[in-house]
Amino acid sequence: MNRNIRAIAQIKKYSELINLLVIVFSIVLMLVIYFIVSQSDPMEPEDFREMLLFGVGGAYLGTNGFLKIFYIADEVPKGLSFGMTRKKLFIGLRVADFLELLVVVILALILVTEADANVILKVAAFLYGLFMWIEGLAGNNVIRYGKNVFWIYYIVFMVACIGLPRLTHVFPESATPFVMIFDFFTNSFFNQGVVWVALAAFILAGMIVNWITFRKLAVNYIV
């Protein structure tokens, strides 16, 4: 057990270091923006905390959304080279992903004291499920099929980041599904039991897809 924990820590250290640097950089950037804006228009502390939350959260999501497939391509061969079985490696990486996101959630709860903790937890659950789908459909298949999958994912990622905002600007009615999803997370009108069941199903389905594409990966062992 201790050997596997040390192996996971060794495998994840570079990706976690990148995440730490991204979070620190985004905090510094938000502080600089706050200092500049406050010179002409003083900002309330709560407004600054919200800006900090969105800045750090956006940086974390964007970085992981793009780099997650590179993390997987690096971590899986390392884990198998350390002698871990695919099952133990898969479980270890999922636990590490959960703990990483848990730290981000705690940071969010500290930064925005007046925020609805239920909303933050639901967003975190959605992100965890989203990462499972990214790893399952993109990360594992990059290892298996190479750069062709990467380019497909890169195009999809850029369309999501750049194309969708432009689309909703040109055709405002196209934003309706996204508004509904946002309300689904934030509006207490929806049955919260149904919301959490939907999130659990989303995560479970992502894990199943992730495991199916992960368990038979043929990788080049690192020696």
Side-chain angles (χ1 to χ4, degrees):
M1 177 65 72
N2 290 335
R3 179 176 178 273
N4 290 334
I5 293 175
R6 289 196 299 269
I8 292 296
Q10 179 70 19
I11 292 167
K12 296 289 292 183
K13 68 178 182 180
Y14 292 112
S15 62
E16 298 305 332
L17 177 60
I18 292 174
N19 285 330
L20 178 61
L21 291 175
V22 167
I23 290 175
V24 171
F25 175 78
S26 59
I27 290 175
V28 172
L29 180 61
M30 292 300 104
L31 287 172
V32 171
I33 294 175
Y34 171 73
F35 177 77
I36 294 174
V37 172
S38 296
Q39 299 303 307
S40 57
D41 185 17
M43 184 180 295
E44 294 294 330
E46 185 59 32
D47 293 335
F48 169 68
R49 285 196 293 267
E50 289 186 3
M51 182 184 74
L52 193 60
L53 173 64
F54 284 109
V56 173
Y60 172 79
L61 175 59
T63 302
N64 277 272
F66 183 71
L67 296 182
K68 182 66 72 174
I69 59 175
F70 296 104
Y71 295 159
I72 293 298
D74 177 65
E75 293 166 358
V76 172
K78 282 183 179 179
L80 297 178
S81 298
F82 288 161
M84 300 180 70
T85 65
R86 281 172 169 76
K87 182 178 179 180
K88 289 182 178 179
L89 178 60
F90 182 82
I91 294 174
L93 291 177
R94 301 296 74 76
V95 171
D97 289 340
F98 173 80
L99 294 176
E100 171 192 306
L101 198 55
L102 180 62
V103 172
V104 176
V105 168
I106 293 173
L107 180 62
L109 292 173
I110 293 174
L111 289 177
V112 185
T113 55
E114 297 181 4
D116 187 345
N118 191 39
V119 173
I120 293 177
L121 291 175
K122 284 185 287 188
V123 171
F126 173 77
L127 290 180
Y128 188 76
L130 180 63
F131 291 157
M132 293 302 101
W133 282 97
I134 291 175
E135 292 175 7
L137 296 179
N140 295 336
N141 285 316
V142 165
I143 298 175
R144 187 171 185 178
Y145 298 109
K147 64 181 181 180
N148 290 334
V149 175
F150 164 74
W151 285 115
I152 293 173
Y153 176 74
Y154 178 75
I155 292 172
V156 172
F157 181 83
M158 295 307 295
V159 168
C161 292
I162 300 175
L164 288 181
R166 293 292 300 169
L167 178 65
T168 56
H169 177 73
V170 176
F171 302 102
E173 63 276 6
S174 64
T176 301
F178 302 103
V179 173
M180 293 178 63
I181 293 174
F182 180 79
D183 285 341
F184 184 74
F185 283 106
T186 60
N187 197 331
S188 59
F189 171 80
F190 292 97
N191 186 308
Q192 294 304 295
V194 173
V195 173
W196 280 107
V197 168
L199 286 171
F202 179 66
I203 293 172
L204 180 61
M207 281 190 172
I208 292 173
V209 170
N210 197 351
W211 171 245
I212 290 173
T213 58
F214 178 90
R215 65 191 180 95
K216 292 186 177 180
L217 282 177
V219 301
N220 294 320
Y221 290 85
I222 299 174
V223 295

